[in-house]
Amino acid sequence: MSACALEPPASAAAALQARHIELQAQLRTNTFGESLYLSSREGSNRLEGDVYAEVTHPVAEITATFRSANRVCELLFLHLNVRGCQPAGTSDNAALTLSVGPKRALAAGKIYHITYALRVEAADAAYFRATLSAAQGPLSTRDYRIVFEAMPIGGSRSFVHFSYAYGYGTMAKIAMRMYLATAGRSKIGFTVTGQSPDGRPLYVGGERGSLERNVMRYYLALLAYSSVNTGSPQEKMEKRMRKWFALTERYPAQLHELDLDEYLQEKQADLARAAAGHQ
């Protein structure tokens, strides 16, 4: 868990301001072609990933999503491995159950359910912070934590931080090793770890690579969700899915898994199952 995730809101606000100053060079010069910095860490049975970015959305707009479990569900659903999301609780005790599984519904693989508590820990004009936490997950994973922070940086722009972390045990290690030895063998993340003999960058793989792909997908879901504000609920969902897919295609080496039509078909099938009462 990052140090910022453990701090009270006042200290966390100061930490985010300091981080924005500290990351100026990385935000200006990077391989993403935008004001974005991504990092990941692998500790003792724990993985953590962070995205920091300057975005062209005012704080009030980009933080509105995290004030409602229903809207958070709509955002997280854009991720291709999220097959459903069910909000629950009240505004003071909000929660959601995320259903995650294979990117193709007919592929071999089980759907797992993780129940997160949603807490808005700070919400004013200068700083916003919300957390999603789950004590337990599938296959001996545990202590899931998603942290979203934002602050204004002038005009209609904001500096945002999106982090994703979880712990894991023996069963999760075995499952990840099997995945990395088969379907995930050639998949990479975003952190450059060296150069090949012909000068091309080498990217992190393994568990860190997997985490980096996921934290980036969730961050891009935030951008896609915040960029669409007009239309019926069905129209907005369709636009957001298309926007999310387009954003992920900026990084095909890391994030391309399905064609657009296949992604939309999978998501529409998920929505139909949810409407019929099957998550």
Side-chain angles (χ1 to χ4, degrees):
M1 190 178 302
S2 67
C4 182
L6 294 171
E7 294 174 353
S11 299
L16 186 63
Q17 292 172 344
R19 195 71 169 132
H20 184 231
I21 295 170
E22 177 187 344
L23 291 176
Q24 282 303 300
Q26 292 93 327
L27 291 170
R28 299 293 168 260
T29 305
N30 56 62
T31 60
F32 297 106
E34 56 185 295
S35 298
L36 188 150
Y37 173 73
L38 183 150
S39 66
S40 64
R41 297 160 301 286
E42 184 175 6
S44 177
N45 296 326
R46 187 163 184 82
L47 287 164
E48 306 175 35
D50 298 272
V51 170
Y52 294 89
E54 294 178 351
V55 299
T56 54
H57 296 277
V59 164
E61 178 181 283
I62 203 162
T63 62
T65 304
F66 286 87
R67 299 172 187 267
S68 158
N70 184 64
R71 289 195 292 269
V72 172
C73 268
E74 292 176 342
L75 183 158
L76 298 178
F77 176 74
L78 298 174
H79 190 305
L80 79 170
N81 291 117
V82 174
R83 309 310 309 233
C85 187
Q86 184 64 42
T90 65
S91 58
D92 295 327
N93 190 29
L96 58 89
T97 297
L98 205 62
S99 301
V100 296
K103 58 183 177 285
R104 293 182 176 88
L106 296 180
K110 187 176 180 180
I111 301 295
Y112 296 101
H113 307 285
I114 308 172
T115 298
Y116 287 90
L118 170 63
R119 299 289 180 268
V120 175
E121 299 180 356
D124 58 37
Y127 176 71
F128 180 92
R129 174 186 171 93
T131 62
L132 287 160
S133 57
Q136 300 293 330
L139 299 174
S140 78
T141 55
R142 60 184 179 272
D143 192 19
Y144 282 80
R145 189 168 178 86
I146 295 172
V147 178
F148 171 69
E149 301 176 284
M151 69 178 195
I153 55 173
S156 60
R157 299 168 66 242
S158 303
F159 180 59
V160 302
H161 170 219
F162 194 100
S163 75
Y164 175 56
Y166 63 91
Y168 55 88
T170 302
M171 288 181 63
K173 285 183 182 179
I174 294 171
M176 179 59 77
R177 286 171 184 166
M178 291 178 62
Y179 168 73
L180 294 173
T182 54
R185 180 184 304 169
S186 61
K187 294 184 178 181
I188 57 174
F190 293 89
T191 298
V192 176
T193 58
Q195 281 190 339
S196 66
D198 61 1
R200 291 182 298 175
L202 298 175
Y203 295 95
V204 67
E207 290 91 341
R208 277 184 61 200
S210 176
L211 182 82
E212 289 188 0
R213 293 192 298 275
N214 278 321
V215 72
M216 178 63 90
R217 285 179 172 126
Y218 284 130
Y219 163 71
L220 295 177
L222 172 68
L223 293 189
Y225 192 89
S226 301
S227 69
V228 177
N229 296 297
T230 60
S232 68
Q234 293 78 14
E235 289 170 339
K236 286 191 287 188
M237 178 59 76
E238 173 85 10
K239 291 177 184 177
R240 286 165 175 160
M241 290 190 295
R242 290 180 177 275
K243 180 66 173 179
W244 181 85
F245 185 88
L247 290 172
T248 64
E249 286 296 288
R250 293 180 181 178
Y251 314 106
Q254 290 86 1
L255 302 184
H256 181 80
E257 297 280 353
L258 303 172
D259 293 333
L260 174 60
D261 288 345
E262 190 173 12
Y263 168 72
L264 293 175
Q265 288 169 5
E266 292 287 337
K267 287 301 179 183
Q268 294 295 351
D270 289 337
L271 291 170
R273 281 190 291 271
H278 305 292
Q279 282 287 340

